[in-house]
Every structure is written in C-alpha cells, then in structure tokens.
Amino acid sequence: MNDLVREHTALDDSDLEWLHLLVSEWQLLSDLSFADLVLWVPTRDGTRYVSVAQMRPNTGPTSYQDDMVGHLVPRGRRPLLDAALDEGRIVREGDPEWREEVPVRVESIPVRREGRVLGVIARNTNLLTVRTPSRLELTYLQSASDLAQMIAAGTFPFPAEQVDMDASPRAGDGLIRLDADGIVQYASPNALSAYHRLGLAADLVGHQLGKTTAELAPERGPVDEALVKLASGWAPREFEVEGGDGVIQLRAIPLSPKGVRTGSLVLLRDVTELRRRERELITKDATIREIHHRVKNNLQTVAALLRLQARRMDSDRAREALEEAVRRVGSIAIVHETLSQTLDESVEFDEIADRVLAMVAEISPGRVATRRSGRFGVLTAEVATPLSMVLTELLQNALEHGFGQDESGTVEVGVVRGRDCVTVTVQDDGRGLPEGFDAQQAGNLGLQIVRTLVVGELGGTFDMVPAPGRGTRVVLELPV
C-alpha cells in the first residue's frame, strides 16, 4: 500500500498512516457486512482511481476471486465511486452487478479524515446466498452500517487505540450489542457461552453489561467502577476479565454513526485455555532459569573446591592440572549463568567469548594480549556449552605452549558468521608448532577434548596449522 499510495496519489504520510489504521481495523467491517472491501484512492491528476487494499469476509462468500490491489480504473467508469468521493456520502443507489453469473450489490463509503475525503471503500456483497436474515445477521448488518457511517464521518477508526488485530477478538468469536445505557440488546451464542464460563447462570439480554461483568469478576475494590465503565462500552478499549472458571477478552467499540452515541459493540473471546497455557509456559521458563542458576552455583562450588585443592598441592604439575580443571568448569558455568538470565535456550555468545578470554588471560597477566574480532551472534545452548569449552582449551593451549615465561605476544579469536556455519580462528604469534606435529593425532588432553567436542558433539571440523609468518593458527568450522 505504501508504494501504491506514494507512486499514484497526492496523499501525505499522515494520510497514509490513517489508511493503515483503517486497514488494520476493516476486517471487522467486512465480517459484519458479509462483504468484500476494496479501498480506492484517486490518483494525483484526479483522472483515475487506484486500489490500494482489499479484504475478504470470514462470514460469507467472496465477490472477488482475483486480487484487486494495484488495479487502475478511469474516473467515470464506476459512478458510485465518483458520487461518494464528490459528495462525501455513502452511496447505495444502482442495480446489482453481475460477475461470472454472480449478482453483487455494490456500495461506496467515503473515507474521511479531518474534513477531507481521502478515498472510497467499495463494499461488494455476494447476493447468491441471500436468505431471510437471522437476528444475528441483522445485528451484524446494523453494526456494519453504524461503522460505515462513522468511517464516512471520520470518527472511525480511533487514532488513540492501537489494537493487535491478530490477538484481538473477531466478530465470529462473540458479539454483544449494547444500547446507549449499556443494556444488552443482543448477545451471540458464542458470547453467551463465554459469559457462562465466567459463572453467569441467566441470559444477558436486558441486563447492564458493565454491572453484570463486575459482579462475575473477583472483588477488586475501587477498580470495579472502572470495569463497569469499560464493559459498558463508554470508551474504545480492550481488556480481560477473569472469574469463575474462565477468562474472557473483551474489546469495546462505541458507536456514534451520526455524531451522537447510540450504543456500543463489544467483541469478546474465551481465552481460558490460552491463558492457562501461557501460565504453564511462564512457570516452565522460570523453572528452567532456576535450574541453570543452580547448575551455575554448583559448578562455581566445584571450581572453588578444585582451587582450594590446587593450593595444597606440592607438585607443580598437579597444581597446574587442577587449575586447568578450574578453568574448564568455569567456562561451562559462564554459559549457565547467561542462560539463567534469558527466557529461551539461546545466548548471545560474544559476551561469553569475552568472559572466557578474560578468564584464560589471567594465566599470563601483562605478557600476552588477547582480543576478539567478528561476532558469534546468538547460539543455542547445545552449541554454546561445548564451544565455550573448546575456546577455553585453545586459548589455554596457545598461552601455555606458544609463549615462554617472559615472552610477550598476541592471541586473537576471529569469527566469521555465515548463514549455515560459523568459522572460528584462534591465532597466536608465538613460537609455533614443533616439527612433525599432527593435530589430529596429538595426545595432549586439551586437544583431545577439542577434537571430541568439535567433531563428535558439534559435527564440525578442526585443524591446527602454522600461522603465516610466525605462530600457530587453529581453524574451526561449525554448523549452526
């Protein structure tokens, strides 16, 4: 719609925003009318109309099998469009049109904003299935007529009300028509079923909806008065009421077709099961986060015990082995700490990689600089946990074996994130690999851990080669 309006018409951005607001709401008008809607806007030179949006009803057969959006029609070919645009009124005159042996009644509704007519809605009703209307259908049609008059007057949609139409109740979910005093004139079967779920034992017709709803809801003290007004349809609002064994979602639409409030339309839907499942998911999410938090605490306890044990060791090799184990446990704890703070099982791995870099750099404070280039992005927990251990082992290996006691240098982690894989390089400018070194056969425990995790658990590839110039370069290819 943006492209069509800007290419063919003289409407500005505020006008376009009004059309977007209208189109976000007009599924309701289409369903209540049992009719297709096509929005026509006059072109910049005023000689043609361009159709910028289309809506088909969920409550009846369509009048248009084809997509009408983007069609251009010369002015004069559709007199009802001309009359509605020029006179600013709803035009219903004329005989039905025949489309592929189907009679279609056409009406034109001007779309007004701040006194100007921006375009015209063509309402097309398929007459092939017309029959004596029921009370439900009569209520639908009367409500559609009121909304159409409000669109023509520029009082609908409501600019201050932002509604998520995917989650908002629709006409078929449940509909209640109120008079100007908030008394129920008609309630659809679905609406009655929803109120029965709240605990209503009687019929709704003839009752004040606001008071009835407040009586069914739990005691709320001073909030009850606000609930009475909301359920009486005094303002365009969407809200939920919980009572008895159910939860219903309501949307109130005040009706003022001729500038005077004549009543309200209340759409409602039973969302009991939906809310129950949401509560279950919230509980499960909280439980999962608590599990990650406890795992992190337990791993930190294990690391602390290993650190205490290392301090009591007389053998340097035994102390170094325990300190390596502390760092391995710590890298896993970092992942679980991050997972305990999120709502899903994915983590932003760049933060984890930086913390691993800082943790391993403590081995050689001030001698060897560590840095990262590129971004890992978001990774699942199944990838993040083993990858954090792999990074720990490779960095630890580079710092311990690439540099002597008093040597300085740099270790860099480079990341290239593709659509299906991530390439990680760990490169140092240290002393390099010994003669005849084979990364796939080396018996070092750290490299065995890397090979097992990269190839076996992550399904990737691992290679360690001399770096260009000086040092060692490790390349990991991991599917993500």
Side-chain angles (χ1 to χ4, degrees), residues 180-470:
D181 297 320
I183 305 297
V184 177
Q185 301 296 298
Y186 176 79
S188 71
N190 284 346
L192 278 175
S193 297
Y195 265 84
H196 289 161
R197 189 82 178 262
L198 286 182
L200 179 70
D203 194 1
L204 273 173
V205 175
H207 290 78
Q208 222 279 351
L209 185 66
K211 292 180 179 178
T212 302
T213 304
E215 289 169 358
L216 294 172
E219 289 296 327
R220 296 171 178 238
V223 183
D224 279 346
E225 185 177 346
L227 180 59
V228 170
K229 287 193 173 183
L230 286 174
S232 298
W234 286 96
R237 293 288 185 274
E238 191 169 301
F239 56 100
E240 286 188 7
V241 175
E242 182 172 357
D245 297 324
V247 182
I248 60 173
Q249 180 185 14
L250 300 98
R251 183 189 176 200
I253 304 173
L255 299 174
S256 51
K258 295 181 180 179
V260 178
R261 186 173 179 276
T262 60
S264 304
L265 197 62
V266 178
L267 307 178
L268 64 150
R269 178 173 57 176
D270 185 345
V271 293
T272 306
E273 292 304 312
L274 181 63
R275 296 296 175 260
R276 181 183 63 80
R277 290 172 185 170
E278 285 179 353
R279 291 190 189 105
E280 289 179 355
L281 287 174
I282 291 171
T283 302
K284 288 178 181 178
D285 285 340
T287 302
I288 291 170
R289 288 199 299 273
E290 178 63 22
I291 289 171
H292 285 304
H293 183 70
R294 293 190 181 188
V295 169
K296 181 263 295 183
N297 288 344
N298 291 338
L299 289 172
Q300 289 180 335
T301 301
V302 171
L305 292 173
L306 290 172
R307 196 176 291 111
L308 287 172
Q309 187 67 43
R311 291 172 183 168
R312 295 173 179 270
M313 300 301 295
D314 296 327
S315 167
D316 290 340
R317 291 191 62 187
R319 188 182 305 109
E320 289 174 2
L322 287 174
E323 288 174 350
E324 286 183 3
V326 168
R327 286 188 286 273
R328 287 165 183 154
V329 173
S331 66
I332 303 174
I334 290 172
V335 176
H336 283 281
E337 181 180 3
T338 306
L339 287 168
S340 70
Q341 299 168 1
T342 65
L343 293 175
D344 52 29
E345 288 294 289
S346 298
V347 293
E348 185 69 47
F349 195 78
D350 297 301
E351 179 186 350
I352 293 174
D354 291 340
R355 292 180 64 179
V356 169
L357 277 166
M359 178 181 68
V360 177
E362 293 175 0
I363 302 173
S364 53
R367 291 190 301 108
V368 180
T370 58
R371 62 172 180 259
R372 171 178 62 86
S373 63
R375 288 181 55 81
F376 287 93
V378 177
L379 298 176
T380 62
E382 290 81 1
V383 175
T385 301
L387 183 55
S388 67
M389 284 198 66
V390 168
L391 272 182
T392 302
E393 297 299 331
L394 293 177
L395 291 167
Q396 194 166 276
N397 188 75
L399 291 171
E400 288 186 355
H401 303 291
F403 303 93
Q405 185 68 31
D406 297 320
E407 293 179 338
S408 61
T410 303
V411 179
E412 180 174 357
V413 177
V415 188
V416 178
R417 177 73 183 259
R419 201 164 103 186
D420 302 320
C421 72
V422 60
T423 302
V424 183
T425 59
V426 179
Q427 184 167 320
D428 64 69
D429 54 4
R431 64 185 64 168
L433 297 171
E435 184 106 15
F437 179 83
D438 183 358
Q440 306 303 326
Q441 301 296 327
N444 178 290
L445 175 60
L447 291 182
Q448 288 181 12
I449 292 173
V450 171
R451 282 198 301 269
T452 300
L453 293 176
V454 171
V455 179
E457 188 162 343
L458 296 174
T461 60
F462 159 70
D463 198 12
M464 180 180 284
V465 296
R470 172 185 167 90

Side-chain angles (χ1 to χ4, degrees), residues 52-63:
V52 298
Q54 179 179 0
M55 179 57 66
R56 294 183 175 92
N58 294 318
T59 51
T62 183
S63 303

Side-chain angles (χ1 to χ4, degrees), residues 29-30 32-38 63-64 90 92 104-109 121-125 141 144-148:
L29 177 62
S30 179
L32 294 175
S33 303
F34 307 97
D36 291 74
L37 305 178
V38 180
S63 303
Y64 286 112
I90 298 175
R92 296 189 175 93
V104 176
R105 183 176 64 243
V106 181
E107 303 167 83
S108 294
I109 305 167
I121 295 175
R123 182 163 55 177
N124 304 268
T125 307
L141 292 171
S145 176
D146 292 342
L147 287 177

